[in-house]
Amino acid sequence: CYIKNMIDNLLSSLRAAGYRVTPIRHLLLRVLEHATQPLSAQQLAERLREQRSSVAKTTIYRELEFFRERGIVDELDIFDGTK
């Protein structure tokens, strides 16, 4: 699958650049891989809970910021204040 290869290549690139690919980063990228629409941090937390992985929302925000700073994800401001 193209997306799976893209995620695997992304993880390899992060490692090659000296970044740690933590289990949380890996898991978040896998959840995003299967998303059919943009997800908020709250929605990501819910998806992780569905997979029996409990991650604090502050961790999710921190990891999303890490991804955003590296051009992996984009931040969208929704009219109701959701990001």
Side-chain angles (χ1 to χ4, degrees), residues 62-78:
R62 187 173 46 251
E63 295 303 333
L64 287 174
E65 182 65 13
F66 172 85
F67 293 149
R68 188 193 62 76
E69 289 172 349
R70 284 148 191 87
I72 297 167
V73 300
D74 290 321
E75 180 178 26
L76 301 175
D77 289 318
I78 308 300

Side-chain angles (χ1 to χ4, degrees), residues 9-21:
N9 289 339
L10 179 59
L11 293 170
S12 295
S13 295
L14 287 172
R15 282 187 196 98
Y19 298 110
R20 292 180 52 221
V21 177

Side-chain angles (χ1 to χ4, degrees), residues 28-72:
L28 283 171
L29 288 174
R30 293 295 177 198
V31 169
L32 291 169
E33 170 186 18
H34 296 288
T36 58
Q37 62 187 25
L39 299 173
S40 67
Q42 178 64 39
Q43 290 168 317
L44 280 169
E46 290 167 6
R47 299 259 175 111
L48 292 171
R49 272 194 300 274
E50 290 169 3
Q51 296 181 14
R52 302 203 191 319
S53 298
S54 181
V55 179
K57 252 203 289 194
T58 55
T59 300
I60 293 171
Y61 280 111
R62 187 173 46 251
E63 295 303 333
L64 287 174
E65 182 65 13
F66 172 85
F67 293 149
R68 188 193 62 76
E69 289 172 349
R70 284 148 191 87
I72 297 167

